[in-house]
Amino acid sequence: MPSGTPLTARADSAQPYALALFRGVVGLLFACHGAASLFGILGGAMGGGTVPAGAWPGWYAAVIQLVGGALVALGLGTRIAALISSGSMAYAYFSVHQGEGLWPLQNGGEPSAMFCWAFLLIVFTGPGAWALDRLVGAERTLPAAAPQAQGEPSAA
């Protein structure tokens, strides 16, 4: 479809709200993983129970999951919380799963890989609409870059 169609215009206008819903769902699911590991709720850690307090890296990962997920879901400190959460999932993937097989499907690392990339997307897209960042003024929008004339070389 060529750009400028009614579908494109409608999708573009809904983008901040879709981002907010994406952010909220990803953050909530991530926080649930942390709560399960720390408090034994929702099935607990690894089939039941909790991660021992202070155990490396599981307990620290669970704290990042709970706190980072809650912050991202609320849209508070979104970009930094998403960056830390993404990094923790990259660490989890490469330190825990990668040695078990090449592909995430083989090594059980699909959740780690998906959370890592979802949070990295949030780092670059921002929180979208309905974020507490907007209420406290932490999320500032940058001015749009001036459009380049066609045929003008880019500075990249």
Side-chain angles (χ1 to χ4, degrees):
M1 276 186 172
S3 64
T5 64
L7 178 60
T8 301
R10 184 171 287 246
D12 287 347
S13 68
Q15 183 179 14
Y17 307 104
L19 284 172
L21 291 171
F22 178 77
R23 171 187 48 79
V25 169
V26 168
L28 177 65
L29 292 174
F30 201 58
C32 287
H33 275 276
S37 296
L38 291 173
F39 308 121
I41 60 174
L42 303 170
M46 298 172 277
T50 61
V51 175
W56 177 259
W59 185 82
Y60 295 93
V63 170
I64 290 172
Q65 291 168 357
L66 180 63
V67 174
L71 289 172
V72 168
L74 294 170
L76 186 60
T78 307
R79 289 180 193 253
I80 193 70
L83 182 64
I84 292 167
S85 297
S86 177
S88 75
M89 288 294 95
Y91 177 84
Y93 183 80
F94 288 111
S95 68
V96 175
H97 300 286
Q98 184 65 44
E100 301 297 319
L102 178 62
W103 296 101
L105 186 61
Q106 295 171 314
N107 62 32
E110 288 174 288
S112 295
M114 289 297 295
F115 276 123
C116 177
W117 286 104
F119 283 121
L120 193 60
L121 179 66
I122 292 168
V123 170
F124 287 98
T125 60
W130 309 315
L132 291 180
D133 282 342
R134 297 195 190 286
L135 294 177
V136 297
E139 181 67 25
R140 306 241 193 288
T141 57
L142 298 175
Q148 285 185 335
Q150 196 168 18
E152 186 178 317
S154 71

